[in-house]
């Protein structure tokens, strides 16, 4: 089964945090910016991945 887009995006954001692309105490880009960057809708960005 393929990984959902929202999960891949969440993984990428986590990777960027760990790589200090988004430094501590800074904000990550807003939903509109992320949606444009990843070529998806705001709803995809807003969807929360399962932590299970």
């Amino acid at each position: 089964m393929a990984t959902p887009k929202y999960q891949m995006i969440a993984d990428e954001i986590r990777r960027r945090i760990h790589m200090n692309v988004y430094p501590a105490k800074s904000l990550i880009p807003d939903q509109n910016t992320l949606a444009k960057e990843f070529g998806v809708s705001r709803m995809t960005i807003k969807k929360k991945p399962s932590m299970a």
Side-chain angles (χ1 to χ4, degrees):
M1 186 170 174
T3 304
K5 284 185 181 183
Y6 64 86
Q7 184 66 57
M8 291 188 296
I9 293 167
D11 292 343
E12 176 61 17
I13 292 170
R14 282 188 202 96
R15 185 191 71 76
R16 291 178 184 185
I17 291 168
H18 290 293
M19 298 297 293
N20 226 15
V21 174
Y22 306 136
K25 299 185 181 182
S26 70
L27 299 175
I28 64 170
D30 63 39
Q31 290 177 359
N32 290 325
T33 302
L34 290 171
K36 286 178 187 175
E37 179 181 347
F38 289 103
V40 297
S41 70
R42 263 188 68 236
M43 292 304 293
T44 300
I45 296 296
K46 192 173 179 177
K47 190 165 184 167
K48 296 177 184 173
S50 172
M51 299 309 252

